[in-house]
């Protein structure tokens, strides 16, 4: 799926949506205050889409007027979604107080930064969460839309592959680095929590290769050091892939399944250095206040989601396992460097 908004002049909105199915007629849903106002099919044929090989007929363009949506010009808020994927195509809202710029929050943890997403959502016209799970076509549409001047995007992207889509002159890029041992513990519990889904033939497709890893993690006692050592001796490949230097993989490889070599750690450090604002979870308030200051936002700093006691305890046990040290050697070096740098400015 690809999309683009040509303009929103109040009484008219023109946009196009190319569906994943090249023979389907493109459809969108217009919502007002969360309620479905209209469902529309594309009314204009553009041969450009056909010549590019994107669509068989080119029937992908919409012109939305008062005829399709009565009262359109007087609506201060509305949203347009692709009918098939529910991807947000356009959001109209009052411009007063909105940040005129684009913010990218790179999630370096397996869990999204929910508190920060909630904070920044209300300050931008359009927001996209979980962008790391989007198809490449949808992601490029969201990142490259020229008409969108107020946007917030967040997710766990493989940065080397997509860095060219968010140049510094267009995007303020940010990342909050987590302690590698805490992140590994978080990922182990994340796997265990999905063991029930992995055991269900009707749902385990949602986990893909990680279904095996989730089943595997549930068979071990995270509170027993001997059980943990056995776990790391017997790790199936999908679990090893998920746990092995995830920060370095995210910033140092182009594809999720790329093999990780020492040279990737050098690439990861170089790319991390190009991120606009880099923070450490131990200095959460410093990170958030820096981002707010750069954007000119006057708002309270939300409380971060607490690290569960069982995760913190497991992280401490992991520090005593040699196999873990080998698996996190690159990430520990990167995270320590970030923490040391932040501490010099905020530690006092």
């Amino acid at each position: 799926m690809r999309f683009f908004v040509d303009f929103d002049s109040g009484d008219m909105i023109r946009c196009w949506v190319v569906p994943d199915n090249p023979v389907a007629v493109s459809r969108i849903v217009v919502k007002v205050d969360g309620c479905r106002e209209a469902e529309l099919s594309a009314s204009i044929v553009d041969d450009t889409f056909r010549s590019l090989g994107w669509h068989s007929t080119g029937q992908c363009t919409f012109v939305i007027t008062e005829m399709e949506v009565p009262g359109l010009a007087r609506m201060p808020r509305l949203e347009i979604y692709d009918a098939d994927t529910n991807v947000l195509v356009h959001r109209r809202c009052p411009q007063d107080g909105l940040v005129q710029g684009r913010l990218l929050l790179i999630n370096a943890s397996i869990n999204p930064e929910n508190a920060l997403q909630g904070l920044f959502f209300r300050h931008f016209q359009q927001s996209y969460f979980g962008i790391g799970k989007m198809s490449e076509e949808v992601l490029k549409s969201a990142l490259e839309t020229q008409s969108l001047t107020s946007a917030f995007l967040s997710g766990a992207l493989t940065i080397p592959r997509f860095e060219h889509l968010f140049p510094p002159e267009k995007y303020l890029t940010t990342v909050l680095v987590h302690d590698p041992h805490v992140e590994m513990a978080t990922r182990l519990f994340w796997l265990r929590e999905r063991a029930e889904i992995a055991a269900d033939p009707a749902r385990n497709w949602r986990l893909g290769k990680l279904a095996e890893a989730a089943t595997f993690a549930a068979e071990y006692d995270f509170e027993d050091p001997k059980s943990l050592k056995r776990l790391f001796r017997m790790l199936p490949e999908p679990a090893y892939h998920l746990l092995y230097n995830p920060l370095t993989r995210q910033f140092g490889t182009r594809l999720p399944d790329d093999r990780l070599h020492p040279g990737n750690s050098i690439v990861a450090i170089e790319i991390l250095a190009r991120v606009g604002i880099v923070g450490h979870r131990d200095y959460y308030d410093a990170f958030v206040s820096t981002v707010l200051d750069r954007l000119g936002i006057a708002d309270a700093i939300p409380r971060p989601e607490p690290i569960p006691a069982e995760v913190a305890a497991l992280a401490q046990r992991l520090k005593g396992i040699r196999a873990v040290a080998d698996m996190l050697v690159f990430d520990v070096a990167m995270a320590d460097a970030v923490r040391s740098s932040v501490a010099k400015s905020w530690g006092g």
Side-chain angles (χ1 to χ4, degrees):
M1 174 200 164
R2 298 175 173 90
F3 64 89
F4 190 84
V5 179
D6 294 313
F7 61 81
D8 178 353
S9 60
D11 60 347
M12 179 184 292
I13 302 173
R14 181 185 172 104
C15 62
W16 54 261
V17 177
V18 179
D20 291 327
N21 183 351
V23 300
V25 175
S26 186
R27 298 180 303 119
I28 59 172
V29 173
V30 181
K31 292 184 179 181
V32 178
D33 295 327
C35 297
R36 182 182 292 240
E37 190 73 15
E39 181 170 333
L40 308 173
S41 297
S43 58
I44 297 177
V45 174
D46 189 333
D47 284 336
T48 303
F49 302 126
R50 187 166 51 190
S51 64
L52 290 171
W54 291 3
H55 197 263
S56 62
T57 67
Q59 188 174 344
C60 302
T61 301
F62 301 82
V63 175
I64 307 169
T65 66
E66 295 271 343
M67 183 175 296
E68 291 76 24
V69 181
L72 177 67
R74 301 185 301 276
M75 292 177 177
R77 299 178 183 274
L78 63 79
E79 294 173 339
I80 299 173
Y81 294 87
D82 174 59
D84 295 324
T85 64
N86 203 38
V87 169
L88 177 65
V89 173
H90 176 63
R91 179 175 179 238
R92 177 196 288 182
C93 63
Q95 297 294 304
D96 294 345
L98 292 181
V99 174
Q100 295 304 311
R102 303 182 186 188
L103 172 65
L104 173 63
L105 174 63
I106 302 165
N107 286 337
S109 174
I110 197 168
N111 290 328
E113 303 287 357
N114 291 322
L116 297 182
Q117 290 180 168
L119 167 64
F120 293 120
F121 172 81
R122 58 181 175 267
H123 293 288
F124 290 88
Q125 176 182 344
Q126 202 148 314
S127 297
Y128 292 94
F129 300 152
I131 59 175
K133 298 179 181 178
M134 291 180 174
S135 70
E136 187 165 347
E137 290 80 10
V138 173
L139 181 59
K140 291 178 71 173
S141 293
L143 288 168
E144 293 181 332
T145 299
Q146 300 300 315
S147 62
L148 188 57
T149 58
S150 176
F152 168 51
L153 304 97
S154 70
L157 287 176
T158 305
I159 307 304
R161 183 178 180 183
F162 298 108
E163 188 182 19
H164 66 285
L165 296 177
F166 41 88
E169 65 270 18
K170 294 183 179 180
Y171 280 88
L172 172 60
T173 54
T174 64
V175 62
L176 186 64
V177 174
H178 292 239
D179 177 274
H181 292 94
V182 173
E183 179 61 21
M184 179 180 276
T186 300
R187 289 173 179 243
L188 284 168
F189 275 106
W190 184 93
L191 285 173
R192 173 183 280 183
E193 290 164 1
R194 281 150 183 81
E196 183 178 343
I197 296 176
D200 184 351
R203 295 187 295 161
N204 59 16
W205 60 269
R206 299 178 183 176
L207 296 175
K209 296 179 181 179
L210 291 176
E212 177 190 2
T215 301
F216 172 83
E219 296 174 353
Y220 289 83
D221 182 358
F222 293 170
E223 296 184 7
D224 181 0
K226 291 183 178 180
S227 179
L228 281 175
K229 290 179 180 179
R230 288 196 301 273
L231 181 150
F232 284 100
R233 283 199 303 267
M234 304 297 292
L235 276 176
E237 184 176 352
Y240 185 86
H241 188 94
L242 182 73
L243 301 174
Y244 182 76
N245 288 301
L247 183 64
T248 303
R249 183 179 301 282
Q250 184 176 2
F251 280 86
T253 61
R254 291 187 59 83
L255 297 172
D257 292 332
D258 282 353
R259 291 188 59 129
L260 200 58
H261 302 285
N264 295 113
S265 66
I266 299 174
V267 173
I269 292 171
E270 292 175 349
I271 292 180
L272 187 65
R274 295 199 289 267
V275 175
I277 299 175
V278 180
H280 195 285
R281 184 60 157 67
D282 289 354
Y283 292 87
Y284 175 87
D285 285 3
F287 171 75
V288 181
S289 62
T290 301
V291 178
L292 291 175
D293 180 70
R294 181 76 69 85
L295 295 172
I297 296 175
D299 205 336
I301 298 175
R303 293 177 61 86
E305 295 185 27
I307 298 172
E310 62 270 22
V311 171
L314 176 56
Q316 286 298 320
R317 286 191 287 272
L318 293 175
K319 291 179 180 180
I321 299 175
R322 182 170 179 175
V324 171
D326 294 338
M327 291 181 67
L328 295 180
V329 61
F330 302 144
D331 278 14
V332 168
M334 288 178 63
D336 284 352
V338 171
R339 192 181 190 285
S340 175
S341 177
V342 175
K344 289 179 180 178
S345 300
W346 296 89

